[in-house]
Amino acid sequence: MDCIFCKIIEGAIPSNKVFENERVLAFHDIQPQAPVHTLIIPKKHIPTMNDVTEEDDAVMAELFAVARQLAKELGVAETGYRLVNNCNGDSGQIVFHLHLHLLGGEKLKPLG
């Protein structure tokens, strides 16, 4: 498979991991858009949010649980953070492996 995130999961591409268990991996973004910018991904290859099935409900819940945990550990839970999921090209999705961006560490510009 030619998915960069799958290669990170396999260990073929190095990453600066901040969390890992059997189902989820989180690591620092290599092109951060904020002082805190981590990516939280399922280890199962799911291309987009549109491809999530009922079978994936547990791992989706776990992605958000990991996001809450990391927000605390990275010191942005109290000041505020943003979770972003882009779905398909018009949203700006570049890597077609479902992922959440956790952004914080500064006052973020409002969306819209």
Side-chain angles (χ1 to χ4, degrees), residues 52-64:
V52 173
T53 67
E54 286 183 19
E55 175 184 296
D56 303 316
D57 286 351
V59 75
M60 294 303 294
E62 192 166 1
L63 291 177
F64 285 92

Side-chain angles (χ1 to χ4, degrees), residues 43-107:
K43 287 188 173 180
K44 175 184 176 184
H45 182 81
I46 304 170
T48 74
M49 185 62 79
N50 291 338
D51 299 298
V52 173
T53 67
E54 286 183 19
E55 175 184 296
D56 303 316
D57 286 351
V59 75
M60 294 303 294
E62 192 166 1
L63 291 177
F64 285 92
V66 170
R68 286 191 314 272
Q69 175 185 330
L70 289 176
K72 290 177 189 173
E73 291 175 7
L74 297 171
V76 297
E78 295 303 317
T79 57
Y81 59 98
R82 180 176 292 158
L83 291 176
V84 176
N85 169 257
N86 298 315
C87 183
N88 282 325
D90 281 357
S91 74
Q93 185 176 6
I94 297 169
V95 177
F96 285 83
H97 183 122
L98 187 137
H99 55 285
L100 296 177
H101 296 261
L102 187 154
L103 301 142
E106 68 183 6
K107 186 154 181 79

